[in-house]
Amino acid sequence: MRLMFQDEARFGRINEPRRCWAPRGLRPDSPYQVVREYTFAYAAVCPHDGVMDSLILPVVNAEAMQLFLDEVSSRHCDEYILMVLDGAGWHISKDVRLPSNMRLVFLPAYSPQLNPAEHVWDEIKEKWFVNKAFQSLDAVENLLVDALCALENDRNRVLGLAGFDWIVSIILNAT
């Protein structure tokens, strides 16, 4: 059995300048833009061994969620997956058909702090997206692909972000 936590995040061309280092006496030059174009990243992380599966999709809805669940299921076809996620409308939609090797468990409402996958988004936004302006949505997606691939290929880093042993024991004891 594989325990995974799932979440999705929005990435786009709109950005907010953040504090950054600059030599004393110089003001840093950080680009700023308000362009409302977005793409969405879906990810599932296993806090036990640092395995991460991700997918970039243009929307968040039941159809996109179905694509993501099918992808995760196919990557772990020899395992039964206990997928923990929040109660977003597209997660609980009647249109979502679970793969045969997967069961969904929903977190309590308004409790993102219980989802270790949230830390993946913080890491990506802090390490890859901070103080950047993009010329196109393709540029956003290209950088997002780089970030997600880097994390998928670095299990120790994902384990450091998402390895909450106490959450794993609570979920496994409750099911």
Side-chain angles (χ1 to χ4, degrees), residues 84-124:
V84 181
L85 59 168
D86 60 30
W90 52 90
H91 296 168
I92 59 175
S93 170
K94 302 278 188 229
D95 296 333
V96 174
R97 301 286 175 239
L98 284 181
S100 61
N101 66 332
M102 188 177 291
R103 177 177 172 206
L104 301 183
V105 175
F106 296 99
L107 291 168
Y110 307 106
S111 59
Q113 68 276 12
L114 296 178
N115 192 342
E118 294 279 352
H119 295 283
V120 170
W121 311 133
D122 294 338
E123 180 78 0
I124 290 173

Side-chain angles (χ1 to χ4, degrees), residues 135-161:
Q135 296 299 317
S136 68
L137 194 55
D138 287 339
V140 172
E141 289 177 352
N142 290 338
L143 185 59
L144 188 53
V145 166
D146 293 344
L148 291 170
C149 286
L151 289 174
E152 280 191 26
N153 293 322
D154 191 348
R155 287 186 180 189
N156 288 330
R157 191 172 184 179
V158 173
L159 194 55
L161 295 169

Side-chain angles (χ1 to χ4, degrees), residues 5-175:
F5 287 80
Q6 187 276 334
D7 198 30
E8 53 280 314
R10 180 176 70 178
F11 291 86
R13 294 185 58 201
I14 193 169
N15 71 339
E16 294 179 22
R18 292 197 185 167
R19 300 181 90 175
C20 61
W21 181 88
R24 183 177 218 92
L26 294 178
R27 187 175 190 165
D29 183 26
S30 295
Y32 178 75
Q33 67 183 16
V34 181
V35 179
R36 288 176 174 84
E37 291 182 320
Y38 304 102
T39 192
F40 298 88
Y42 289 68
V45 297
C46 179
H48 178 69
D49 60 5
V51 167
M52 180 176 129
D53 299 322
S54 63
L55 202 56
I56 299 172
L57 296 167
V59 294
V60 285
N61 60 23
E63 186 178 325
M65 186 65 186
Q66 185 69 58
L67 288 171
F68 180 72
L69 294 177
D70 291 343
E71 177 66 21
V72 172
S73 174
S74 69
R75 290 186 189 185
H76 305 283
C77 58
D78 295 336
E79 298 175 287
Y80 189 79
I81 301 165
L82 183 61
M83 183 77 72
V84 181
L85 59 168
D86 60 30
W90 52 90
H91 296 168
I92 59 175
S93 170
K94 302 278 188 229
D95 296 333
V96 174
R97 301 286 175 239
L98 284 181
S100 61
N101 66 332
M102 188 177 291
R103 177 177 172 206
L104 301 183
V105 175
F106 296 99
L107 291 168
Y110 307 106
S111 59
Q113 68 276 12
L114 296 178
N115 192 342
E118 294 279 352
H119 295 283
V120 170
W121 311 133
D122 294 338
E123 180 78 0
I124 290 173
K125 289 176 181 179
E126 288 174 11
K127 303 292 191 294
W128 280 274
F129 280 81
V130 70
N131 292 334
K132 292 196 170 144
F134 299 94
Q135 296 299 317
S136 68
L137 194 55
D138 287 339
V140 172
E141 289 177 352
N142 290 338
L143 185 59
L144 188 53
V145 166
D146 293 344
L148 291 170
C149 286
L151 289 174
E152 280 191 26
N153 293 322
D154 191 348
R155 287 186 180 189
N156 288 330
R157 191 172 184 179
V158 173
L159 194 55
L161 295 169
F164 297 166
D165 291 335
W166 61 275
I167 290 177
V168 173
S169 64
I170 289 171
I171 298 295
L172 291 177
N173 290 330
T175 56

